[in-house]
Amino acid sequence: MSSSTTRNRKDGPSTSEADATTSSASLGRPNDNNVAGTVPATVTEPNAPSPDPTPAKSSKIKPPPPEQQSHVLRRSLIIASFWLVVLCLGVPIWWRTTTIYRANLPLDQMTSWADGKSCNPVLPIRVAIASPDLTEQEVQDLISTTQSNLDGIPDLPSLQLRLEAAAQTSLEDTPESHGDNSIPLVLRLTQGDGTMSEPMSSLHTLFPILEITYPPSLKPTPETKSSGLATYITAQLRNTFAEEQAILSYLLGSSAISSDRQQSSQHTIDESLSKRITRSMKYSGTYHLTFSLFTSGSSPSSWDIDSAINEYMQPVLDMLRPIHNFTIDTQVQLYAIPGVQSQVLTKEELSSFINAAEWPLSPSIGGAPTINFVIYMGNQTIGLNTAEETSQSWLVPQWGSVYLLSPPAAAHVPSELLKQPVLTFASHLLSLLGTPQSGSLPMRLSTLTRVRSVDMVLRASSSLGSLARLSLALPSISIPSSVAEGVAKSIHHLELACSALGSTDSLEHARIAETEAERAFFEKSMVGQLYFPDEHKVAVYLPLLGPVGVPLVMGLITEIKNWKARRQQKA
Amino acid sequence: MRLSQILRLPTLLASVLLAPVHLAAAEHTSNWAVLVGTSRFWFNYRHLANVLSMYRTVKRLGIPDSQIILMLPDDMACNPRNAFPGTVYSNSDRAVDLYGDNIEVDYRGYEVTVENFIRLLTDRVGDEMPRSKRLLTDDRSNILVYMTGHGGNEFLKFQDAEEIGAFDLADAFEQMWEKRRYHEILFMIDTCQANTMYSKLYSPNIIATGSSELDQSSYSHHADNDVGVAVIDRYTYYNLEFLEAEVRDLSSKKTVGDLFDSYTYEKIHSNAGVRYDLFPGGADVARGRLLTDFFGNIQNIEVDGGKNSTVDDEMLALSRTIARLRAMADQQDQEPNNSTKSARPDTKLTKRRQPAKPLTNDNWWSQKLVGATTLAGCAALWTLGSYLEGARSRRRHVDI
């Protein structure tokens, strides 16, 4: 009843003449009027068939008057417009605001990097042969024989040694001639006098030069094809690069990239190498060095660490400059109590000597990892079970090193007293950075550069692989476009690094690739609660969709029913 | 569900590929502890005391503050209802003040959220986050994760405001494993229905233990009448008792299995659970792990042999020469460049003097276009409105 009333009220202006007359006629009735001007609540429509002219109260039983065609149409239009708004505006907005943005990642490329298919981790190493005593033809023969020898040995799968004749300048010991790092090793062959029977070799201390002195009997001739000397050179090269190969095999083995080629050499990794690689720090462009002086009492309270570092440490830092940067700070702490009090320290006690709870050895504020160098002034000594003499220092893997020093008489520690500790720290620094142990210093450094660049390439590839797997595994995680950019940049630099693997540029590219891959993986916005149980979704949507959805759906259903009924009536 | 299905293949592959390596390199080089309390308010005093007692234990066994991440959602020590201001006790004898004067809380108060916890585990943090608040672990790090608070079936409540689900936790650990951020994890949780929290974990190398089964509460041990509330939970209490009595220092040889065997229903009043199946080698290997592998800071130190100062001296001299030579070479490299460089700064200077630029250059034009369209649209609307207004008033004039 009331619904028909409201319809009438709404349709006010368009009511027909007949309606108007009835309403004006019914105005005469005393009770049923609302506020003046509105249509009465119990209007009897004139065109309704009213078989029984009973009072208004019994009109409830009466069937509603048939609707006008225009009303039916209008109602359908209203319902359609509601649905139109919901479907054209509501649903797209809901879809757009709740959808998770996932940038397109080159997943195939990323996985292929991670699987080691995109880059063959083989380092091309150019080795120049300089021999003042041989003619050019002899040198060429020697090179081709040695090269075929080298290609024949299976010991160096990750290194590709390429021999070439050296330019004349590399015979001189000047910095210019060895300034470019494109040639990591120069072989200098000299003919010895007749007294020697065996060839001899030694590494030059300042430059990456392998000096080989051979007896005249081994001098290559066109007939012998210089095989004796070639064999010797091959053996020497193999020895020189053995450690680098071992480290590379270890890195390749421990990364996910373990192609079949590497399987053979995997079991040969020895314990000490694994230990050495384990203790070295993760690569970083910059390291922070903290030098700390802890004293058991009130003295000594000052030290000449500045001059000591300048004198004994700085050269090493300068030498490492192309690979790493360093920042330094120092501190003095008085009345420091070590974690172990006993006079003679055993090896087990040494590991808890650092009083981590009390000593202020917190990491640096900046982004660089910290390496700690601690000098403790006290009367304790190290006593190991073994009979051999031990020094006063020990190395803590991935952390730093400690040096025990007996306190001087004065309150000030002069720089001379600090010489031995700082020198020890310098050598510890080299091992903490992962510098290889065999060979001359220049060779160790260039090996470090190459090994680190391979390491970076592997790390970046593995990060990319992790990201690819992660994005597949967690379909509800959002991937912002910055991640895709980072991945693209990383892959680009990986390609550059891989194409020039072994050169100094490659380290730089590998470093950028690694940074970008890390940044992409650790993208800040790629977090949030990833898993929502279905109950949560129901709990969120029901209060919203219930009150809105029920009238909408019900309206639609009634409308369709009415429409069907009307069609049946017509038919 | 979908996650585990998709993940199964890569993880299987990875485990197959990585297996020999992990066996070869079974040692870890650093120890980390993530200690999380998740409840606020004074009547949850015991949860804070739980966390602080664990903090004291791992610190006692040598893990430095920089490798302990401590999350305390409330400050019981300075609560106005605390009868002993500035202190927190986990026992009614009040022998040990857990708060002390040397405590480093990394996440405090409202910083303790589910998001921050997941960020911590997955290291998805911004550049502004200091290193001391990050979990800087690698594939050689053992991590102890201890959580306590109020929980239920497969969730743990954070601060009465939100909750972390068992799936979220499992996904976070999986992301850590995927990025090789841990070597082994010991996961301990002390809450009601705690064992459900680790039931969804699926990443390898995790030993998990919890205080109570599904539909079981985790009970407090005793109350301190002067503090006025319960001071410690049973499960944590008996863990600490074992650690205090049996693991006095790093030389202790007690294993994880020994600790787990000490749990009894009589002591804890609930069924403590353990989970070994994620560990390669299963229960036997997992039980054999030393407690100090997780609670202590084992350092495989290397003591130097006899002194060899001559070698050091030689190295110093060598490095000095190499550095000098390199500096010379660099200088020579730069000299030819200097002439070309001198011409450059002028052009650069003129280039720099540009009007203010937007921070990002991407779709600069489209942004301009949108702005212009909006402005034009507004202007058109205004003109239309004023036109209609004018027309109507004109008509009205006519009507009158």
Side-chain angles (χ1 to χ4, degrees):
Chain A
M1 214 59 242
S2 68
S3 69
S4 78
T5 332
T6 32
R7 207 177 304 135
N8 266 345
R9 197 187 301 158
K10 270 182 187 165
D11 295 349
S14 66
T15 35
S16 59
E17 285 291 328
D19 270 0
T21 47
T22 34
S23 51
S24 61
S26 67
L27 268 177
R29 263 188 233 168
N31 250 343
D32 291 332
N33 273 2
N34 288 345
V35 197
T38 50
V39 188
T42 52
V43 157
T44 31
E45 307 250 334
N47 42 5
S50 51
D52 192 16
T54 40
K57 275 178 188 169
S58 65
S59 69
K60 273 179 190 166
I61 315 156
K62 280 194 293 181
E67 287 174 300
Q68 289 179 13
Q69 201 56 45
S70 64
H71 297 178
V72 174
L73 184 70
R74 180 169 290 119
R75 192 171 59 219
S76 315
L77 280 178
I78 288 169
I79 288 173
S81 69
F82 267 104
W83 274 102
L84 207 70
V85 168
V86 165
L87 290 180
C88 299
L89 210 64
V91 171
I93 286 178
W94 170 78
W95 182 257
R96 204 172 154 69
T97 48
T98 56
T99 194
I100 297 164
Y101 179 74
R102 286 171 72 89
N104 277 328
L105 295 180
L107 292 177
D108 294 338
Q109 237 176 320
M110 288 159 77
T111 351
S112 81
W113 272 103
D115 297 342
K117 286 172 197 150
S118 293
C119 182
N120 193 9
V122 169
L123 292 175
I125 293 179
R126 292 166 66 194
V127 178
I129 293 188
S131 49
D133 302 333
L134 298 178
T135 64
E136 203 166 315
Q137 185 51 45
E138 284 167 336
V139 171
Q140 286 304 333
D141 283 349
L142 183 64
I143 285 174
S144 59
T145 324
T146 319
Q147 186 67 58
S148 61
N149 276 0
L150 278 172
D151 294 342
I153 53 169
D155 288 10
L156 306 171
S158 304
L159 298 171
Q160 201 173 30
L161 297 173
R162 285 278 155 262
L163 297 178
E164 57 185 78
Q168 275 307 306
T169 50
S170 52
L171 293 176
E172 300 145 29
D173 288 345
T174 52
E176 307 91 74
S177 61
H178 303 287
D180 66 333
N181 290 320
S182 58
I183 298 177
L185 182 67
V186 174
L187 288 180
R188 194 188 292 164
L189 305 176
T190 39
Q191 188 172 358
D193 49 14
T195 55
M196 64 189 299
S197 55
E198 289 291 308
M200 279 163 46
S201 72
S202 66
L203 278 166
H204 197 283
T205 47
L206 285 181
F207 303 106
I209 296 176
L210 183 64
E211 310 250 22
I212 295 180
T213 318
Y214 56 91
S217 58
L218 277 177
K219 188 178 190 321
T221 51
E223 295 82 55
T224 58
K225 282 288 176 194
S226 62
S227 61
L229 188 55
T231 319
Y232 181 74
I233 292 175
T234 311
Q236 286 306 312
L237 283 175
R238 207 169 76 186
N239 285 346
T240 313
F241 288 104
E243 191 183 11
E244 184 168 347
Q245 175 58 44
I247 296 175
L248 287 174
S249 309
Y250 181 87
L251 288 176
L252 291 169
S254 63
S255 78
I257 306 175
S258 50
S259 45
D260 306 329
R261 189 165 26 84
Q262 299 297 331
Q263 295 291 342
S264 57
S265 59
Q266 218 171 48
H267 59 270
T268 61
I269 296 163
D270 59 320
E271 202 64 21
S272 71
L273 178 70
S274 136
K275 199 170 181 179
R276 248 187 298 142
I277 291 173
T278 309
R279 78 177 170 211
S280 67
M281 310 275 297
K282 230 174 116 182
Y283 179 84
S284 158
T286 308
Y287 288 107
H288 185 79
L289 310 181
T290 301
F291 293 85
S292 315
L293 174 68
F294 289 93
T295 58
S296 53
S298 65
S299 115
S301 57
S302 64
W303 56 341
D304 266 340
I305 188 66
D306 260 357
S307 57
I309 290 176
N310 274 334
E311 190 73 13
Y312 308 119
M313 191 75 151
Q314 199 60 45
V316 180
L317 300 187
D318 286 342
M319 180 181 73
L320 290 166
R321 189 75 72 196
I323 313 174
H324 301 286
N325 275 325
F326 297 94
T327 55
I328 294 175
D329 75 359
T330 65
Q331 63 172 343
V332 179
Q333 298 287 336
L334 309 179
Y335 296 106
I337 304 155
V340 183
Q341 303 286 350
S342 55
Q343 186 60 39
V344 178
L345 302 161
T346 63
K347 195 176 178 196
E348 284 73 40
E349 286 172 329
L350 285 181
S351 62
S352 47
F353 182 83
I354 308 273
N355 190 345
E358 310 276 338
W359 293 2
L361 290 168
S362 34
S364 67
I365 302 288
T370 306
I371 303 179
N372 290 285
F373 296 112
V374 172
I375 296 180
Y376 185 79
M377 292 275 180
N379 292 314
Q380 286 156 308
T381 49
I382 301 174
L384 298 185
N385 297 333
T386 49
E388 64 184 273
E389 189 201 7
T390 55
S391 65
Q392 298 125 306
S393 59
W394 66 93
L395 179 98
V396 184
Q398 293 193 337
W399 186 83
S401 73
V402 186
Y403 198 98
L404 292 179
L405 209 58
S406 51
H412 185 78
V413 186
S415 137
E416 295 77 54
L417 198 60
L418 293 171
K419 179 183 177 186
Q420 195 49 48
V422 174
L423 282 179
T424 312
F425 290 159
S427 70
H428 280 170
L429 177 68
L430 284 180
S431 20
L432 282 169
L433 294 179
T435 322
Q437 291 201 317
S438 64
S440 68
L441 206 49
M443 278 303 290
R444 288 166 68 189
L445 282 181
S446 70
T447 305
L448 178 64
T449 313
R450 287 191 295 273
V451 164
R452 279 303 191 184
S453 59
V454 172
D455 187 22
M456 291 285 102
V457 167
L458 292 179
R459 275 177 201 279
S461 313
S462 120
S463 291
L464 289 179
S466 303
L467 184 59
R469 282 194 297 277
L470 187 75
S471 69
L472 285 177
L474 305 175
S476 58
I477 202 168
S478 80
I479 298 173
S481 53
S482 60
V483 172
E485 281 166 27
V487 168
K489 207 167 167 185
S490 179
I491 289 180
H492 173 67
H493 281 284
L494 270 179
E495 277 159 1
L496 289 177
C498 197
S499 65
L501 209 59
S503 70
T504 34
D505 285 347
S506 115
L507 178 66
E508 189 53 37
H509 286 304
R511 192 189 311 186
I512 297 172
E514 205 262 348
T515 321
E516 288 297 329
E518 291 281 303
R519 189 170 293 161
F521 186 88
F522 290 120
E523 165 62 41
K524 202 184 164 191
S525 58
M526 267 170 52
V527 83
Q529 275 168 301
L530 307 168
Y531 176 78
F532 290 106
D534 287 340
E535 303 96 75
H536 280 214
K537 287 177 187 159
V538 170
V540 168
Y541 282 123
L542 205 61
L544 174 74
L545 292 186
V548 175
V550 168
L552 264 179
V553 173
M554 292 312 287
L556 188 69
I557 290 171
T558 11
E559 194 56 29
I560 291 171
K561 269 185 185 167
N562 287 346
W563 176 70
K564 274 187 180 167
R566 276 200 302 276
R567 234 176 45 159
Q568 273 181 353
Q569 263 182 355
K570 269 183 195 169
Chain B
M1 285 306 106
R2 62 217 150 153
L3 211 152
S4 56
Q5 279 167 6
I6 301 171
L7 264 180
R8 200 161 292 146
L9 188 66
T11 11
L12 271 179
L13 276 176
S15 56
V16 168
L17 287 176
L18 293 176
V21 181
H22 275 273
L23 287 179
E27 72 174 38
H28 64 282
T29 52
S30 61
N31 277 92
W32 289 71
V34 180
L35 311 174
V36 191
T38 62
S39 36
R40 284 186 86 72
F41 306 125
W42 174 244
F43 50 85
N44 292 321
Y45 186 95
R46 65 180 187 281
H47 291 154
L48 198 99
N50 287 345
V51 177
L52 285 175
S53 341
M54 293 306 283
Y55 174 75
R56 224 185 81 80
T57 304
V58 294
K59 222 168 147 173
R60 175 172 67 85
L61 291 173
I63 303 187
D65 259 329
S66 53
Q67 293 175 17
I68 304 175
I69 309 290
L70 183 59
M71 288 182 147
L72 293 185
D74 207 346
D75 194 356
M76 296 309 170
C78 299
N79 194 302
R81 292 166 75 175
N82 193 344
F84 307 94
T87 59
V88 173
Y89 297 106
S90 65
N91 197 311
S92 57
D93 62 9
R94 291 196 290 277
V96 182
D97 172 19
L98 296 175
Y99 218 64
D101 51 6
N102 192 358
I103 172 172
E104 199 180 295
V105 186
D106 296 290
Y107 292 80
R108 189 191 282 282
Y110 289 117
E111 282 184 329
V112 183
T113 58
V114 174
E115 185 187 330
N116 277 352
F117 177 63
I118 291 180
R119 277 190 193 285
L120 171 79
L121 291 183
T122 54
D123 203 29
R124 293 221 159 80
V125 293
D127 292 334
E128 73 281 358
M129 189 65 86
R131 286 177 78 83
S132 62
K133 290 176 82 167
R134 288 171 57 188
L135 190 66
L136 295 164
T137 52
D138 56 21
D139 55 341
R140 293 302 180 83
S141 304
N142 274 13
I143 310 178
L144 167 75
V145 181
Y146 174 83
M147 304 183 84
T148 181
H150 289 287
N153 188 4
E154 293 178 1
F155 72 86
L156 173 65
K157 213 162 63 161
F158 266 67
Q159 303 239 17
D160 267 10
E162 49 182 347
E163 55 200 38
I164 186 172
F167 288 97
D168 292 335
L169 193 72
D171 284 350
F173 281 149
E174 175 62 19
Q175 291 187 47
M176 289 174 76
W177 173 252
E178 194 60 71
K179 195 63 187 64
R180 312 173 85 193
R181 275 168 58 70
Y182 67 82
H183 180 240
E184 282 160 11
I185 287 183
L186 176 61
F187 179 73
M188 299 183 91
I189 181 160
D190 186 354
T191 118
C192 298
Q193 315 191 34
N195 300 357
T196 57
M197 267 309 275
Y198 63 68
S199 58
K200 301 296 175 216
L201 299 183
Y202 54 87
S203 314
N205 287 14
I206 299 179
I207 308 173
T209 172
S211 61
S212 48
E213 284 177 351
L214 179 66
D215 296 330
Q216 264 187 347
S217 291
S218 175
Y219 295 102
S220 67
H221 186 260
H222 68 277
D224 181 335
N225 289 336
D226 292 326
V227 175
V229 284
V231 286
I232 195 163
D233 282 317
R234 302 196 82 90
Y235 173 76
T236 307
Y237 181 88
Y238 288 106
N239 267 315
L240 289 174
E241 195 184 59
F242 186 89
L243 290 170
E244 293 282 334
E246 310 281 343
V247 191
R248 294 194 163 277
D249 51 29
L250 285 176
S251 56
S252 159
K253 296 292 174 219
K254 288 288 170 184
T255 62
V256 171
D258 293 337
L259 174 67
F260 291 168
D261 288 342
S262 73
Y263 302 158
T264 59
Y265 187 82
E266 285 67 40
K267 285 200 282 190
I268 303 178
H269 292 189
S270 56
N271 292 317
V274 286
R275 189 166 172 200
Y276 299 122
D277 59 321
L278 297 169
F279 213 77
D284 294 337
V285 183
R287 289 174 58 85
R289 284 280 178 269
L290 291 179
L291 278 172
T292 46
D293 280 352
F294 296 101
F295 289 91
N297 191 27
I298 290 287
Q299 293 169 332
N300 293 309
I301 57 148
E302 290 163 39
V303 184
D304 291 335
K307 251 184 266 177
N308 41 5
S309 55
T310 48
V311 175
D312 285 341
D313 275 341
E314 267 171 30
M315 194 192 67
L316 182 72
L318 264 179
S319 51
R320 199 168 283 160
T321 326
I322 290 175
R324 205 185 64 236
L325 290 177
R326 190 169 282 157
M328 278 166 64
D330 283 352
Q331 217 172 8
Q332 279 176 347
D333 278 352
Q334 272 167 9
E335 266 165 17
N337 290 347
N338 278 349
S339 53
T340 49
K341 264 185 189 166
S342 60
R344 258 181 231 160
D346 303 330
T347 50
K348 266 188 186 168
L349 270 180
T350 48
K351 256 189 186 173
R352 289 243 171 100
R353 222 171 282 157
Q354 276 182 348
K357 262 193 167 179
L359 284 179
T360 52
N361 245 341
D362 0 325
N363 53 37
W364 187 78
W365 275 111
S366 67
Q367 280 175 2
K368 289 274 146 185
L369 202 70
V370 167
T373 324
T374 320
L375 272 180
C378 286
L381 269 179
W382 185 67
T383 340
L384 192 74
S386 57
Y387 170 76
L388 285 178
E389 187 82 3
R392 188 178 291 176
S393 60
R394 237 174 289 141
R395 200 183 297 159
R396 204 173 288 155
H397 276 297
V398 173
D399 288 351
I400 287 167

